[in-house]
Amino acid sequence: VLLNRRSGIPLAVCALKSPNGPPVVRIFATKPRVTGQRQAASTLQLGLNWVANYPLYTWAEFAIEGGYKKPMQYSIYMATGSNGVFEKKPSYLGHHSENGSPDIMLTGRTPEKKYKGCALLSIKADDTKAGDAFFSLAVSRGVDPALFICFAAIVDETIEKNMRLQCELLKARSTNQTETYQTPTRKTPDQIPIDQATKTYF
């Protein structure tokens, strides 16, 4: 949930569309994002209990492809109307600047239907606290920073989930190897039948 720091009123809510299949996160805003847009849900329906029950309107859908052992690709589809209608081609695309790099380059679709750089999301070490890190977000003019703050929160959850998955896979692999591996032992003469012992050790 993205909140207004001064008022405490929610500005946007991110919710997982379905627990099945590749992760798709729907981003809701508390104000209409398209002319004539109808309410899609409410904070109470999503299990968010505030003093007031705020209406929610579809803003964007965030799709993720790739994951463990595969390059991560990010797509943001903007809402074009009510009832969960979104554009067919994403307005924004994201990818890691280099293989294994935590930095994510974001490009936006221009009126000429070309994609140009519009934001950079980086993970940087916190010099004041050992072992801590924080996100650094740089956006171009004309880009809604609230949308990319939501993007950063979703990426944070995705990275954490992938790290947990990798740890579980490595742990399971290590356990299987321990269970299946047996140290070969050589039988001593007194453990081998007499006929075999005389042939082997005579």
Side-chain angles (χ1 to χ4, degrees), residues 119-192:
L120 173 64
L121 180 64
S122 306
I123 300 178
K124 297 186 177 182
D126 188 347
D127 296 333
T128 62
K129 295 181 181 180
D132 285 357
F134 63 92
F135 279 106
S136 173
L137 177 63
V139 297
S140 301
R141 289 184 179 180
V143 176
D144 191 337
L147 178 65
F148 289 102
I149 291 173
C150 293
F151 173 82
I154 297 168
V155 167
D156 184 32
E157 290 292 328
T158 303
I159 292 175
E160 185 177 345
K161 180 180 178 181
N162 283 335
M163 290 179 66
R164 287 198 303 266
L165 176 61
Q166 292 183 35
C167 289
E168 290 172 1
L169 290 174
L170 291 173
K171 185 177 180 180
R173 187 179 300 171
S174 176
T175 302
N176 291 337
Q177 289 178 347
T178 302
E179 291 177 350
T180 56
Y181 181 77
Q182 295 180 354
T183 304
T185 56
R186 181 178 180 181
K187 292 183 178 181
T188 59
D190 58 340
Q191 295 174 314
I192 302 176

Side-chain angles (χ1 to χ4, degrees), residues 19 56 75-76 95 105-106 116 121 125 129 175-176 195 197-198:
L56 296 176
S75 303
I76 301 177
H95 65 278
M105 297 288 297
L106 287 150
K116 292 185 177 181
L121 180 64
K129 295 181 181 180
T175 302
N176 291 337
D195 58 339
T198 52

Side-chain angles (χ1 to χ4, degrees), residues 64-74 96 99-100 162 166:
I64 307 168
E65 296 180 358
Y68 183 56
K69 292 187 177 181
K70 294 182 180 179
M72 300 289 290
Q73 301 287 337
Y74 310 95
H96 292 273
N99 187 24
N162 283 335
Q166 292 183 35

